[in-house]
Amino acid sequence: MKRFCLLLFVSAAVFAQTPTPAPKPPPPPSDNTLLQVRRVFVEQLTGGTQAQALRELIISSLNNTKLFVLTDNEDRADAILKGAADDQAFTDSFDSDESINGRESGGKSGSGISKTGGLYGSVGAGDNESHHIKERKHEAYASVRLCNRDGDVLWSTTQESDGGKFRGASSDVAAKIAHQLTLDLDRERRSATAPAPSHAAGAGEAK
C-alpha cells in the first residue's frame, strides 16, 4: 500500500512539472495572397490613347494609400499590376419641343320678320419653342489585376465612371481602384488575424 501511494505521489509530481505546450503560431500567409505584397510595379496598360494617362493616375492613387511601395523597376517588384484602360469622349444631345396654342371664338345671330342681325368674333394665339442641347462628356474604365512573380492573379477589379462633381472620369476610376484594393486588403488582414476556433469549445459542443 505504501509503495502504491509513493508511486502515485511521484506520478503526480512529474505531471505537475511537465510544461504546458505553447500554442502553435498561425501558419505564415500563403504566397498567393495580398499580404505578401510589399512592392508593386504598374505595367503599361493596353487600350486607347488615354491608357497611359490613366496608368499615371492609378500609380498616384495607389501611392496615396501607402499600402505598397510603388516602383519603376519591375525586377524589384513582388507583384505586377496589369490590365486595360481607356477614357473616351462623347457628346450627349437633348432635344425638346414645347408648343402652346389657344383659340377662342363666339357668335350671335337673330332673325325676325322685319329685322335680322349677327355678331361673330374670333381670337387665336400660338407659341412654339424648341431646344437642342449638346453636352460633352468623358467615360473612363479600367480592368486591372495584380499578379505575383509566378503570374498567379492575387486580386482583380473592373471600375468605370463618367465623372463626378469633384473629379474627372479617369481620376474617379483610379480612385475607385485604390479604394477597392484597400478594402480587399483590409479584409484579408482581418481574416488572417482572426482567432482559430477553440478545441475546448468544440469538445463542449460535442457533449
Side-chain angles (χ1 to χ4, degrees):
M1 185 66 181
K2 291 182 178 180
R3 291 182 179 178
F4 176 75
C5 293
L6 181 60
L7 181 61
L8 185 61
F9 176 77
V10 172
S11 299
V14 172
F15 179 78
Q17 293 177 1
T18 303
T20 304
K24 293 182 179 180
S30 168
D31 289 341
N32 288 331
T33 70
L34 292 174
L35 302 180
Q36 289 295 309
V37 178
R38 297 290 180 268
R39 197 179 298 268
V40 172
F41 171 78
V42 181
E43 197 177 67
Q44 295 288 339
L45 302 177
T46 61
T49 57
Q50 296 300 315
Q52 176 60 25
L54 248 166
R55 174 181 180 267
E56 297 298 327
L57 290 171
I58 291 173
I59 290 174
S60 177
S61 294
L62 290 178
N63 191 53
N64 289 338
T65 66
K66 307 302 181 184
L67 297 174
F68 315 107
V69 175
L70 277 294
T71 178
D72 283 334
N73 188 343
E74 183 176 355
D75 295 334
R76 298 189 61 196
D78 303 314
I80 300 171
L81 188 77
K82 56 183 70 177
D86 198 9
D87 184 343
Q88 298 178 349
F90 61 95
T91 302
D92 263 353
S93 298
F94 304 92
D95 295 302
S96 64
D97 190 1
E98 299 176 358
S99 62
I100 301 174
N101 291 287
R103 182 173 296 277
E104 181 179 351
S105 62
K108 181 179 180 181
S109 62
S111 62
I113 298 175
S114 61
K115 183 174 71 173
T116 63
L119 178 64
Y120 179 82
S122 178
V123 178
D127 187 13
N128 293 317
E129 186 175 358
S130 62
H131 301 277
H132 181 69
I133 302 173
K134 290 185 177 182
E135 186 176 353
R136 188 74 168 174
K137 290 186 175 182
H138 284 262
E139 187 176 76
Y141 82 92
S143 181
V144 296
R145 59 194 183 277
L146 192 65
C147 304
N148 62 14
R149 301 296 303 180
D150 294 328
D152 300 327
V153 177
L154 307 179
W155 175 84
S156 65
T157 187
T158 297
Q159 302 290 341
E160 59 183 16
S161 175
D162 56 1
K165 185 175 181 180
F166 300 107
R167 60 166 68 101
S170 293
S171 298
D172 192 40
V173 166
K176 286 181 176 180
I177 290 174
H179 180 65
Q180 188 62 50
L181 183 54
T182 302
L183 293 179
D184 293 339
L185 182 58
D186 286 344
R187 189 180 298 113
E188 285 205 17
R189 284 173 176 165
R190 290 195 300 269
S191 177
T193 57
S198 172
H199 294 292
E205 292 175 0
K207 293 179 182 180

